[in-house]
Amino acid sequence: MASANCKITAELISDYATGRLDVEEVQVMEEAINRDEEVAAAVAAARRVDARTTRALAASKLGVPKPRL
């Protein structure tokens, strides 16, 4: 993925927030985060959603009441 021609999509942001990108894609995302406040905010939001989802899934496996999403 070339950084100059890279389009930052919701899927790419989600993959970055959940750690599913290769090294080159991570570098592209980090450059975009540093350049664009909207991308940085979207990544922060995606990380919060991922953390909530992870907690909810863990709670359901442990029989603990699910946190509100």
Side-chain angles (χ1 to χ4, degrees):
M1 172 183 304
S3 63
N5 298 328
C6 176
K7 181 175 178 180
I8 305 300
T9 63
E11 182 178 8
L12 188 61
I13 289 170
S14 175
D15 289 348
Y16 176 80
T18 56
R20 294 188 300 245
L21 298 181
D22 62 30
V23 174
E24 183 179 328
E25 292 171 319
V26 168
Q27 291 172 339
V28 169
M29 283 300 299
E30 289 175 353
E31 290 173 14
I33 290 166
N34 290 332
R35 281 191 321 264
D36 191 329
E37 290 180 15
E38 289 183 10
V39 172
V43 168
R47 286 180 173 157
R48 286 191 299 273
V49 168
D50 182 58
R52 289 181 187 139
T53 303
T54 300
R55 283 194 304 269
L57 290 172
S60 69
K61 289 180 183 177
L62 297 173
V64 178
K66 295 179 184 176
R68 296 183 87 181
L69 297 177

